[in-house]
Each structure stands twice: as structure tokens, then as C-alpha cells.
Amino acid sequence: MSRSGAQDTLAGRLQDLRARLPEGTHLLAVSKGQPAAAIREAVALGQRSFGESRLQEAIAKQSELADLQPLDWHFIGRLQANKARGIVRHFGTIHSLDSLELARRLDRIAAEEGRSPAVLLQVKLRDDPAKTGFAPEALRAAMPELRDLPAIRLVGLMTILPLGLESAERRAAFQACSALAAELGLPELSMGMSGDWPEAAAAGSTWVRLGTALFGSRPPAAPGTAVVTAPG
Ligand SMILES: *Cc1c(COP(=O)(O)O)cnc(C)c1O
């Protein structure tokens, strides 16, 4: 009965986003901070790819959702060396590989676990002390060794822009990332969040990572995870 109608429900927001995303740009539903019930609702609406940034939280929700058809889980958080094995076991795609040292470790663990995760390399296009990632030059230098790691599949680049850029600056940064991926022959581009996805999609993003634009606001990140269980 509200004025904005469809925007008030997950179904409405999902439908609206699907209509606006260009062909070739996939929606990664960022479900961090959301209960398993919200994921279940999105699955019922046809969404299958979900992004999580905390391992323990993801494991808890994955087990709550074990009755569903296998979902497509993407790890988008800071990759910590001591969590690498759990991440390899619980995610098919990793968006946030940000150093050669971690790549070697991930490769060794993936081989031990008999898995071959799809990996995107996080790049830092602008100075941002709050973000990790390969600078473009460092990435070019690391590529020969990265390509030789047998157990991880390098599929693309991922970037997170600093806050506070003008739209034109965001567009330019996303285009630079897109050009770098093309130069390196990597097909996937994980770019764009709730606040900047239209520019990312225009620059060729293949995965926009949307949390609040889809699920609404989430509680602030906390070390523990309270997962609310839906009845039924
Ligand atoms: C939380 C998060 C997102 C989603 O952010 P929203 O602004 O809620 O869309 C996307 N990417 C990464 C890496 C994140 O940590």
C-alpha cells in the first residue's frame, strides 16, 4: 500500500535491479550481516550467487541452507592467511586475492583440498590506506608467477573504490580497471557496490556486488554472528 511499492520488498528490488543491469553484468547478492532467511527468500526469487565476507558467518548460514540446491558462494572479504583453508572449502569463487604470498598459499591449500577455486585479483587503482590490493605495476610483475599456480583459476580483477569520488572519477577508475583486465586477458570484472554500481556496469563490470541496495541496511559488522532462524 506504500507509494514506492515494489521498492519496499526484496522481490521488487531484485526485479528492478535485474531490469537495470546490462546484459553480461551479473548480480552478486552480498548477504553478509543478513540472516539465512533473507538468503532463502532471495533464492526463492531465483538468485543463486551470494557474497560473504566473514568465514564463520558464512559457514553457519551455509549449513542452515543445506537443504537448498547448491548455491554459488563468493568470498569478498579480506583474505586472512589463517582462514585460507576454510575459505577454499566453503567458497567456489574468491574476489579478494591481494598478494602474491597469499596466492601461493591459496594454491597450495587448494591443491591439498582437491579444489580449484576461481580467483579474482584485487587491484588498487588509487591510493587508499584503507584498502589492500595490487597496484597495477605490481600486478603486471606478478602475473607470470600467478598464471603458473596450477590449483587456482585466475578469472578476473576486483576493485573497491575509495569513498567520496565524483561520478566522473569513479567512471575513470572503473574504466582503468576494465582496461587492465583486458590487457591481462582476464574476462571477469568484479566492480561496483550499492553506491557506485551504475558507473561500474557502464565500464563493463561482470559482477556487481550489492548488499544494501538489495537487502536494505544491515547491522554493523561484529566479531560474532547472530544468525536469525526463520520459522518453517
Ligand atoms: C559489503 C561489501 C559490498 C556490498 O556493499 P553495499 O554497499 O551494501 O552494496 C560489496 N563489496 C564488498 C567487498 C563488501 O565488503
Side-chain angles (χ1 to χ4, degrees):
M1 280 299 178
S2 73
R3 277 180 304 121
S4 49
Q7 292 296 317
D8 289 352
T9 64
L10 179 63
R13 290 189 293 261
L14 199 49
Q15 191 177 39
D16 179 61
L17 286 165
R18 283 178 181 149
R20 292 172 65 197
L21 287 173
E23 213 184 316
T25 305
H26 307 286
L27 173 59
L28 183 65
V30 175
S31 47
K32 69 180 184 197
Q34 301 294 341
I39 298 175
R40 190 176 288 279
E41 191 185 347
V43 171
L45 295 163
Q47 179 67 26
R48 303 215 64 83
S49 299
F50 293 90
E52 292 278 343
S53 55
R54 290 184 290 275
L55 177 62
Q56 296 312 321
E57 178 187 338
I59 291 174
K61 287 189 271 187
Q62 287 176 358
S63 74
E64 271 195 74
L65 299 167
D67 60 301
L68 299 177
Q69 290 292 310
L71 299 175
D72 175 31
W73 293 100
H74 294 230
F75 186 78
I76 61 170
R78 173 77 72 91
L79 201 57
Q80 292 169 275
N82 64 348
K83 299 280 174 63
R85 190 172 301 274
I87 290 165
V88 164
R89 285 183 182 161
H90 289 273
F91 293 88
T93 304
I94 299 169
H95 285 232
S96 41
L97 184 59
D98 60 4
S99 79
L100 190 50
E101 197 184 330
L102 265 173
R104 293 182 189 122
R105 184 184 181 94
L106 206 60
D107 181 67
R108 175 176 58 74
I109 289 171
E112 286 169 8
E113 298 286 331
R115 294 185 186 251
S116 51
V119 166
L120 293 89
L121 302 161
Q122 186 169 348
V123 288
K124 187 155 94 160
L125 296 156
R126 300 193 151 238
D127 272 341
D128 182 354
K131 295 282 177 289
T132 62
F134 289 93
E137 263 325 299
L139 182 58
R140 288 189 185 95
M143 276 312 279
E145 182 173 347
L146 288 168
R147 287 191 207 280
D148 271 352
L149 296 173
I152 59 177
R153 292 181 292 125
L154 290 191
V155 299
L157 301 183
M158 178 270 221
T159 198
I160 305 173
L161 296 190
L163 295 173
L165 299 183
E166 304 276 338
S167 176
E169 295 175 295
R170 293 199 295 260
R171 203 174 286 269
F174 286 137
Q175 276 163 359
C177 191
S178 186
L180 184 60
E183 174 194 323
L184 301 174
L186 297 170
E188 303 289 341
L189 270 174
S190 169
M191 314 191 296
M193 303 171 43
S194 293
D196 59 14
W197 73 262
E199 290 97 341
S205 176
T206 63
W207 286 101
V208 289
R209 307 178 308 267
L210 303 185
T212 50
L214 189 58
F215 292 111
S217 63
R218 58 185 164 256
T225 307
V227 176
V228 181
T229 309

